[in-house]
Amino acid sequence: MEDTNGCPGLARRIAYSGQGESKQDAADQLRLLIESVTDHAILTLDLDGYVASWNPGAERIKGYRADEILGQHFSRFYPPEAVARNRPRHGLEVATREGRFEEDGWRVRKDGSRFWANVVITALYDETGQLRGFGKVTRDFTARYQAQEQREMERLREALRIRDDFLSVASHELRTPLTPLQLKLTAMRRAVDSAPGGMLPSERVERDLDVAVRQVRKLVELVDDLLDVSRISVGQLALERVPADLTALLREVVARYLPQASQLGSTVELDAPAPVQGEWDTRRVEQVMTNLLSNALKYGGGKPIHVSLRAEGGMALLSVRDEGIGIAPEALPHVFDRFMRAVSGRNFSGLGLGLFIAHQVVSAHGGDIQVSSVPDKGSTFSVRLPLGPT
């Protein structure tokens, strides 16, 4: 039974007291109960909102003695801006119309200080159904409000920290391909200026252009990731589904990464023996495959990468497993968060967006993506995609 935490408990106490006892005894018990409550301000108002009764809890919370406040209008408990908006009258009107009004907001004590209050106003009717006044219960929730405000401030500080970290990483990542591109183009300009007739050997031009194209491609990938995050944030990640074979698509992606894997000392073992037919946004699914494979190569430590694909139970099941550094247990629940990087950016490049985008793309297809990992033994990313629209 709730005795001191709100009107429902009081109502139950009154109902209990009235069983087998006189109305006078019930009234006396109710009066004693209200007078014993010190953590709730319990008062009654007349039809116009003037204070008709006052309990010790009201004196403790609001600061007024009974002889100071009885007969005064309850609007004095509201801050001036709330009075200007007719909030006191609004509360009485809602309670009259609906039987009850509740809100949280700032209230004012006798000394002028403010406190965050939970206020319940209840319409009081007599036996004939005529409105006789209002019951009002106020609780001081200032400590709860301040705790919530503190949590919000901490959340905001963390968001600002993540933003600052991201801007620092983004500027570094964008500069990484820009610097060699700028140096290479400057060198080409000088070579052209110093070459007889401004003509360079075709081998030199081809080699330098190949470097420049790779750096531009890297820049485009970074910008595309940022654009994708913007689209996801505003709910504009649209899918263009077409019939496709995921096995063929996966083979293309793996073939594209074989040179990079060779440079890193890794091999990519592909287990996808049969076609996996369905309807997907192939550009987006290719993005998922690319992000998972590049992630495995980045953290795989030059060890084999295992990729598999099969169809089962109306789902396409894709798995990418590496034998690298793995993910720390405390970081594992956050690997799909935006801007999250499980290891220091000093050792590994990236904006921390690849896995976030992969998770959003898979979810948009009605699928799911999971990760399991053991530090120093590697990680496995498992993707489930419906074969058709769900």
Side-chain angles (χ1 to χ4, degrees), residues 279-337:
E279 292 187 16
W280 302 279
D281 185 323
T282 54
R283 184 175 70 87
R284 291 297 183 186
V285 174
E286 179 181 1
Q287 194 175 18
V288 173
M289 296 174 175
T290 297
N291 288 345
L292 294 182
L293 190 54
S294 63
N295 186 77
L297 289 171
K298 182 190 299 184
Y299 301 113
K303 298 178 181 179
I305 307 298
H306 310 272
V307 182
S308 67
L309 177 67
R310 69 183 188 278
E312 182 179 295
M315 306 289 286
L317 308 180
L318 169 67
S319 172
V320 179
R321 177 170 65 89
D322 66 71
E323 301 176 15
I325 63 174
I327 303 170
E330 62 272 15
L332 203 57
H334 306 289
V335 294
F336 298 113
D337 291 353

Side-chain angles (χ1 to χ4, degrees), residues 81-120:
E81 62 273 16
V83 175
R85 299 198 310 271
N86 287 322
R87 294 301 298 175
R89 174 176 295 183
H90 171 73
L92 297 184
E93 290 175 348
V94 173
T96 301
R97 184 173 63 251
E98 301 179 7
R100 185 178 186 275
F101 170 78
E102 180 176 3
E103 72 170 355
D104 292 346
W106 290 111
R107 295 296 185 268
V108 181
R109 295 187 176 93
K110 177 184 175 181
D111 62 6
S113 62
R114 297 192 180 196
F115 66 101
W116 188 258
N118 169 261
V119 177
V120 177

Side-chain angles (χ1 to χ4, degrees), residues 16-301:
Y16 177 82
S17 299
Q19 295 177 1
E21 298 180 0
S22 68
K23 291 184 178 181
Q24 184 60 48
D25 288 340
D28 289 341
Q29 286 195 354
L30 176 59
R31 177 180 56 81
L32 292 173
L33 173 63
I34 293 175
E35 290 179 355
S36 69
V37 174
T38 59
D39 56 351
H40 290 56
I42 303 175
L43 55 144
T44 57
L45 309 174
D46 67 14
L47 293 173
D48 297 318
Y50 291 90
V51 178
S53 69
W54 193 253
N55 82 324
E59 180 176 341
R60 187 187 69 82
I61 292 174
K62 299 177 183 289
Y64 295 95
R65 298 191 313 271
D67 59 355
E68 295 176 309
I69 199 64
L70 291 176
Q72 301 295 316
H73 198 269
F74 84 113
S75 60
R76 68 166 49 198
F77 308 136
Y78 287 73
E81 62 273 16
V83 175
R85 299 198 310 271
N86 287 322
R87 294 301 298 175
R89 174 176 295 183
H90 171 73
L92 297 184
E93 290 175 348
V94 173
T96 301
R97 184 173 63 251
E98 301 179 7
R100 185 178 186 275
F101 170 78
E102 180 176 3
E103 72 170 355
D104 292 346
W106 290 111
R107 295 296 185 268
V108 181
R109 295 187 176 93
K110 177 184 175 181
D111 62 6
S113 62
R114 297 192 180 196
F115 66 101
W116 188 258
N118 169 261
V119 177
V120 177
I121 301 176
T122 304
L124 303 178
Y125 297 91
D126 61 17
E127 293 84 351
T128 65
Q130 182 177 356
L131 179 65
R132 302 300 298 271
F134 303 91
K136 183 171 179 287
V137 178
T138 301
R139 289 181 285 179
D140 185 351
F141 278 3
T142 305
R144 182 184 301 183
Y145 176 82
Q146 290 173 340
Q148 180 179 351
E149 195 173 48
Q150 181 64 30
R151 289 192 296 269
E152 288 297 316
M153 288 298 297
E154 291 173 357
R155 185 192 63 79
L156 179 59
R157 290 192 190 99
E158 178 64 12
L160 292 174
R161 184 193 65 77
I162 293 174
R163 183 207 64 180
D164 292 342
D165 288 348
F166 167 71
L167 291 176
S168 175
V169 171
S171 61
H172 172 75
E173 290 297 320
L174 291 171
R175 184 173 291 277
T176 297
L178 274 177
T179 299
L181 177 61
Q182 185 178 27
L183 292 174
K184 183 58 64 177
L185 293 176
T186 300
M188 289 180 66
R189 178 75 269 174
R190 290 174 180 171
V192 169
D193 292 341
S194 61
M199 300 296 293
L200 292 176
S202 59
E203 296 83 3
R204 167 72 183 275
V205 173
E206 183 176 355
R207 183 175 66 253
D208 290 348
L209 284 178
D210 184 57
V211 173
V213 167
R214 286 201 304 270
Q215 303 307 322
V216 169
R217 184 182 301 121
K218 180 63 176 177
L219 280 172
V220 170
E221 290 174 355
L222 292 172
V223 173
D224 283 347
D225 280 350
L226 292 174
L227 288 175
D228 281 339
V229 171
S230 297
R231 295 188 186 102
I232 291 169
S233 297
V234 297
Q236 293 182 351
L237 185 65
L239 299 181
E240 298 179 5
R241 296 176 181 269
V242 295
D245 175 14
L246 282 196
T247 300
L249 183 62
L250 181 59
R251 286 173 179 165
E252 292 178 6
V253 172
V254 169
R256 192 185 313 144
Y257 274 89
L258 288 179
Q260 179 181 340
S262 179
Q263 291 177 357
L264 296 172
S266 293
T267 58
V268 180
E269 301 176 3
L270 176 60
D271 178 19
V276 177
Q277 303 285 348
E279 292 187 16
W280 302 279
D281 185 323
T282 54
R283 184 175 70 87
R284 291 297 183 186
V285 174
E286 179 181 1
Q287 194 175 18
V288 173
M289 296 174 175
T290 297
N291 288 345
L292 294 182
L293 190 54
S294 63
N295 186 77
L297 289 171
K298 182 190 299 184
Y299 301 113

